[in-house]
Amino acid sequence: MENNLNRDSEQSHPFSYTQENLRQIAQDILIFAKKHGADACETHVSDGSGQNVTVRQGAVETIEYTRDKGLSVTVYIGQRRGNASSSDFSPKAIQETVSAALSIARHTAEDPYAGLADADLLATAFPDLDLYHPWSLPIEEAIELARQCEATALATDPRIINSEGASIAIGASQFVYANSLGFCGGFPLTRHSASCAVIAGEHGSMQRDYWYSVARSARDLEAIDEIGTKAGLRSLARLGAKKIATCEVPVLFEAPVASSLIGCFVRAVSGASLYRKSSFLLDSIGKQVFPANIQLSELPHLAKGLASCTFDDEGVATQARKVVENGIVQGYFLGSYTARKLGLRSTGNAGGNHNLVLENDAPLAFDALLKQMGRGLLVTELLGHGVNLVTGDYSQGAAGLWVEQGEIRYPVEEITIAGNLNTMLRGIIGVGNDVNVRGSRQCGSLLIERMTVAGH
C-alpha cells in the first residue's frame, strides 16, 4: 500500500467559506456594532472541517465527518463589556448576535480594565509560518492506515490480547480576527494525528497503554508502524506491575509527561493566577525558579509549530523571548485584561503560550538519565489532578517503572508522587534530549532530585 503519510495535497472542499468571506463577515459585524452604539468591538470568525476514522479489532468502529463554523462578538460601551456568539452566518443572525452583545454590555457594570488591546501592540507583519498542509486521504485509505497501525501493535507480542482501537484524524480550519482599531488578520491551518491503544495480558493481569503522533503536515507524523509498535511495547512494559513501599527517591518524568511540569509553571506565572494572588510564584520576575542551567524560550514563529501564530487572540503581535534565562524568570504570560490588572502590558499571550522550548546546557540521552538517577522512579503516566497553584503543593497518582543501578527493573502501580513545585523546579538535575513535540510545550525527560513516592 502507498504510504499516504508522505502525501500532502489539496482537499477538494476543506472549507465552506473563503478567507474573503470571513473578512467580510468580520467587517459587517464591526460596522453594525458601531452603528448601533458600540464604542469598540472585536470579533472572531472561524470555519473548519475534519475527518476521523477509528478501527478496533480490524473492524471500522466510527467514521466521523465534521463541518464547523462560528463567530463571537465582543462589544464595549464605555468600560462595559458584552459578548455573544453564534454558528449562524446569515445577515439576520449576525445582527441578532451583535444586538445581544450590545444588550449585555448595557446591563453590565463598568470594568476599568476592560477594552481592546493597546493599538501600538497590534501585529503589522504576517509572515507565512507554514501551518496549512491539507491531507487528501480517501476514507478507505484512512481505514487501511488505522488497520495497519492496530495490526502492528497487536503483532508486537502474543501477550497483546486486545485493542481499544487505532484512529486517523484529519483537521483543517481557518479564522479571521478583527477589531475596531483597524486590525484584521487570519489564516488557515491544519492538524492531523494518528493514535493507537492496546491491552496486554498475562497471568490474569491486564495493562493498557497507547501512543500517538500529531503534526501540521501528514509528512511529519511518525510512521504508522512505529506508532503501533510503541503502543504495543508500552503496554507490555506495564505487565507484572508491583506495589512499592513509601520512599524518597529521585523521579524521572518521561518526556510525554514532563511537559505537564512546564504547564504548572506557565499557569503559575499567567495573568489570571497572578492578579488573583492565587499563585506560588507571585512577583517572581527576576527570581531564581529553575536551576541556573535551564532556559525556557517562547518561539511563536516556528515553522509548522503546533502553537505558532503571528498574533494572539487579541491581535497583539507575538515575538520570540526568553521566559526563563539561566533559571531566572524574565516574563509572565499576559493578555490585555490581566496585564492592566497588574499594571503591565500584554505579552501577546491572550489564548495561551506559543511553542515553549525548555533547554539546558548539556541534555542527556535517556539511558544516561537513568544512569544518573541510579535508583528511583521513572514516571510514564500521571493520574488525576493534584496540583495546588496557591501553595505549589504537588500530589499526583502515577504509574511507571522502578529503576535500580541505572536500569529499569519492573513496572510499578498504585503510587502517588508528592512534593512542592518550588522545590521540584529548582531540583531539576537532568534534562533529556528525547524532546517529544506533541503540543505547545516542548521538553525532554526531566529528572527531579528527590520526591516522595507513596506506596504501601
Side-chain angles (χ1 to χ4, degrees), residues 217-301:
S217 167
R219 297 175 185 271
D220 298 323
L221 291 172
E222 290 184 46
I224 284 293
D225 288 349
E226 188 175 338
I227 294 167
T229 298
K230 285 184 178 179
L233 291 176
R234 291 177 70 86
S235 297
L236 290 169
R238 298 179 67 154
L239 284 174
K242 302 178 181 180
K243 299 177 183 179
I244 57 173
T246 298
C247 54
E248 284 194 11
V249 291
V251 172
L252 177 58
F253 286 77
E254 187 188 29
V257 295
S259 60
S260 68
L261 293 179
I262 309 307
C264 293
F265 167 76
V266 171
R267 287 163 55 203
V269 293
S270 290
S273 297
L274 295 171
Y275 85 74
R276 291 172 180 149
K277 299 192 181 302
S278 58
S279 168
F280 70 98
L281 290 178
L282 295 175
D283 304 316
S284 56
I285 287 182
K287 294 181 180 176
Q288 192 91 32
V289 171
F290 291 85
N293 65 348
I294 294 288
Q295 323 296 328
L296 184 64
S297 303
E298 186 173 34
L299 304 173
H301 300 163

Side-chain angles (χ1 to χ4, degrees), residues 44 59 168 179 229 280 412 417 437:
H44 187 280
I168 304 293
N179 64 36
T229 298
F280 70 98
V412 293
I417 55 174
V437 183

